[in-house]
Amino acid sequence: NDASYEIVQLGAVHNAKNRITRLVYSSCGTILAAASDDNTLYLYTVQAKLKHELYAAFDKHEEKIIGVDFAIDGTLIRSKSTELKYCAVLTGEEAEYTEKTWASDSCLDLTADALCQSRPSNAPVFATG
């Protein structure tokens, strides 16, 4: 196989005190949520030339965040650690749950068995370290 690949840096986030474990863009692509091992969800606006600017840090979790989902309408984020929390996208403040349609379901069942079962056996796996 003579295929070649190019790795391109799309942006950088430097505010976390520990490693970033999840990166999720809003469906419109203007907000980036970065979950860190420091139990914080960092919210960035994505500006011209893919510059990311921090505008809020949601620090209401007591354990590391293992799942992040945006509501389709872009108003709410749900994040999962040992419990499920909701964050208002505009302010980064804790929010009450309201009925939403979610762009993904990463917060619903994050057991290792569920993750393995949700991936077809012939699907490729991509990991970074």
Side-chain angles (χ1 to χ4, degrees), residues 59-99:
D59 61 357
K60 304 300 182 189
H61 287 280
E62 300 207 8
E63 300 288 332
K64 76 176 185 174
I65 299 167
I66 57 173
V68 177
D69 300 314
F70 276 91
I72 295 264
D73 66 8
T75 61
L76 203 61
I77 298 171
R78 64 182 176 190
S79 51
K80 171 84 171 177
S81 60
T82 53
E83 59 187 344
L84 200 56
K85 300 274 187 177
Y86 297 91
C87 171
V89 172
L90 287 178
T91 64
E93 297 293 321
E94 191 163 14
E96 294 293 320
Y97 171 77
T98 57
E99 188 68 31

Side-chain angles (χ1 to χ4, degrees), residues 24-33 42-48 50-55 70-75 77 89-90:
V24 181
Y25 282 94
S26 61
S27 57
C28 63
T30 59
I31 304 294
L32 172 66
Y42 297 91
L43 302 178
Y44 296 86
T45 56
V46 179
Q47 300 175 345
L50 296 173
K51 179 182 175 189
H52 298 73
E53 186 173 313
L54 180 71
Y55 74 90
F70 276 91
I72 295 264
D73 66 8
T75 61
I77 298 171
V89 172
L90 287 178

